[in-house]
Amino acid sequence: MTDSKTIVVGITGGIAAYKAVGVVRLLVKAGHDVHVVPTEAALRFVGLPTWEAISRNSVTASLYDDVAAVRHVALGQAADLIVVAPATANSLAKLAAGLADDLLGTTVLASRAPLVVAPAMHTEMWSNPATRANVATLRERGVVVVGPGSGALTGTDVGEGRMSEPDEIVAAALRVLEASAAPAVPARDLDGLRVVVSAGGTREPLDPVRFLGNRSSGKQGVAFARAALARGAQVTLVAAHLAGEVDVAGLAVIDVTTASEMALAVESAAEIADVVVMAAAVADYRPASVSETKIKKDAEGDELTLRLVKNPDILAGLAAARRPGQTVVGFAAETAPTRDELLELGRTKATRKGADLLVVNLVGWAAGFGSDDNTVVVLDGAGSVVAESAGSKRAVADAVLDEVVRVRGGGGAGVGGAGEPSPSA
Ligand code: CTP
């Protein structure tokens, strides 16, 4: 069991409050000192005795109980972590605005602890621009947003807005707790190393005005580049159509368009690199021929067939050709209905690609691309899980770089005896 920490669980007024009983129970079971702070509205859904029984601590929703103990400040100051589950649209708005008109509001404002929120509301409320803006504000401040998922809502409604399951919320909360225990100043554990990161999505031209592309924003790759720089590395970013400008002091950026251009740029930078991270979404196929002129409907008729040819697999090539002391990290973007199936796809890819580490993440219509957060499982070259990380893309990048440092035997330039091609390469 980990050290016991003080965790405040804020409960706000939504039907998912009944599921939050499970959150409190799991945190208590994990050995933590849990203080529940419900809002008055939350108590309409689940009563005070339940919270006291489950948390094993006294509970009040009022600012005016126990005033001598300055409860509204004391709880916030004592907290190592605050979790708000469920977080209604109203409570997200209050948190974003910094309102402190109840015990939960004052506790959050009086605290320096990390904050995890698990939104729960109807789909319309979740997708309302006001809620989106509040969530974006909270994320910018470093608040970790867990979910919501899709599924049955109150009444007969079904859609996005359903609070994540208690075990997911608790797993995210415990990861935040663990990360907050780490030193705030990044270790210079990549000092003097040369790191190449690919990011974004390649585009394969069809004609002068059209291309085949993908939805990668490049945010995860850019987060890797920033994290590696902060840890002392010299970083080259091979960038394919990033969603935003990258203006980072000290970062060398090479812009590319197609998979072939990316292969050239990455392979040449990799010749002197100690670490290569292939975070880019590389097109697996390109049009067999590129039309010199715009493809015209009149000439093609009702159906247009494209013939595609396979692009070289850059990652597999890098892994096969890696020098002793060089560490190669790949990604596996997968669509899978369950974690087990996701891991199985990851394992197969890990052994096929032969990289030292493979970062597996779920992608889909609503997951992965473009978002500011990511959830990944890191596999070694044989496909065994060596780490898991969830949170901001920067936090995920740092967690993966921790594994890179571990694989290399710890420390910066001059260490790195590991990274010998593994038997699976
Ligand atoms: N990759 C690469 N060259 C390619 C395709 C992919 O280097 N032509 C790299 C990606 O940068 C990523 C890893 O391989 O690090 C896995 O990419 P992914 O799209 O998940 O897998 P694929 O190999 O394309 O396999 P599939 O699309 O069949 O899942």
Side-chain angles (χ1 to χ4, degrees):
M1 193 185 76
T2 47
D3 291 350
S4 174
K5 299 285 183 188
T6 301
I7 302 178
V8 169
V9 180
I11 316 286
T12 69
I15 182 61
Y18 85 90
K19 277 164 75 180
V21 173
V23 173
V24 174
R25 195 177 61 81
L26 288 171
L27 289 171
V28 170
K29 216 171 142 197
H32 299 293
D33 181 25
V34 181
H35 295 265
V36 174
V37 182
T39 61
E40 291 291 349
L43 293 179
R44 290 173 174 252
F45 292 94
V46 178
L48 208 127
T50 302
W51 299 120
E52 292 198 330
I54 296 288
S55 71
R56 303 179 194 164
N57 276 313
S58 63
V59 173
T60 175
S62 170
L63 270 171
Y64 305 105
D65 283 347
D66 210 4
V67 174
V70 208
R71 197 177 177 95
H72 69 291
V73 180
L75 260 182
Q77 287 173 339
D80 296 301
L81 174 72
I82 301 181
V83 180
V84 180
T88 58
N90 184 53
S91 64
L92 291 173
K94 286 171 72 172
L95 289 170
L99 294 188
D101 60 351
D102 57 12
L103 185 59
L104 180 58
T106 52
T107 301
V108 172
L109 273 195
S111 182
R112 294 205 177 93
L115 178 61
V116 174
V117 297
M121 66 200 72
H122 273 74
T123 309
E124 293 81 356
M125 296 171 87
W126 174 245
S127 53
N128 187 290
T131 306
R132 309 307 304 168
N134 290 329
V135 171
T137 302
L138 293 171
R139 279 202 165 110
E140 264 165 38
R141 289 188 202 139
V143 174
V144 173
V145 181
V146 184
S150 284
L153 304 169
T154 325
T156 53
D157 287 359
V158 175
E160 201 182 1
R162 187 183 157 89
M163 189 174 86
S164 294
E165 293 307 312
D167 55 343
E168 284 172 58
I169 297 169
V170 168
L174 296 181
R175 279 191 297 266
V176 169
L177 205 52
E178 202 173 302
S180 69
V185 179
R188 303 276 298 178
D189 50 7
L190 298 178
D191 223 357
L193 293 184
R194 289 174 204 268
V195 175
V196 178
V197 181
S198 71
T202 62
R203 289 181 183 176
E204 307 297 325
L206 278 169
D207 70 13
V209 295
R210 303 185 180 94
F211 58 83
L212 297 178
N214 61 67
R215 290 173 47 219
S216 173
S217 66
K219 285 183 185 173
Q220 184 63 75
V222 172
F224 263 103
R226 286 181 190 275
L229 269 176
R231 295 167 78 143
Q234 285 179 49
V235 184
T236 301
L237 180 71
V238 180
H241 308 284
L242 306 182
E245 283 293 304
V246 188
D247 186 13
V248 182
L251 179 66
V253 182
I254 302 172
D255 289 311
V256 296
T257 289
T258 62
S260 307
E261 285 173 29
M262 175 158 280
L264 273 179
V266 171
E267 280 157 16
S268 104
E271 277 172 24
I272 52 165
D274 303 288
V275 179
V276 186
V277 179
M278 279 299 295
V282 184
D284 290 328
Y285 294 90
R286 65 179 183 279
S289 63
V290 181
S291 173
E292 281 298 312
T293 52
K294 194 178 164 207
I295 298 170
K296 303 293 280 180
K297 289 203 282 295
D298 285 350
E300 301 297 332
D302 287 344
E303 272 187 27
L304 168 64
T305 305
L306 295 176
R307 207 164 67 80
L308 304 177
V309 292
K310 214 172 191 175
N311 278 326
D313 189 323
I314 308 170
L315 177 63
L318 289 169
R322 72 189 182 281
R323 306 184 313 276
Q326 191 177 48
T327 312
V328 176
V329 181
F331 265 73
E334 305 291 357
T335 51
T338 65
R339 179 187 155 89
D340 282 351
E341 286 166 84
L342 180 72
L343 287 182
E344 192 45 47
L345 289 168
R347 266 192 286 276
T348 309
K349 198 167 281 183
T351 46
R352 176 158 58 82
K353 298 271 185 176
D356 297 285
L357 295 169
L358 192 78
V359 183
V360 184
N361 72 318
L362 188 68
V363 291
W365 297 110
F369 295 124
S371 107
D372 293 324
D373 297 324
N374 207 353
T375 302
V376 304
V377 179
V378 186
L379 307 182
D380 64 14
S384 303
V385 175
V386 291
E388 302 201 27
S389 175
S392 68
K393 286 187 170 172
R394 173 62 183 265
V396 166
D398 271 311
V400 175
L401 289 175
D402 288 347
E403 287 309 305
V404 167
V405 170
R406 193 188 52 75
V407 164
R408 297 180 59 79
V415 185
E420 297 279 346
S422 63
S424 61

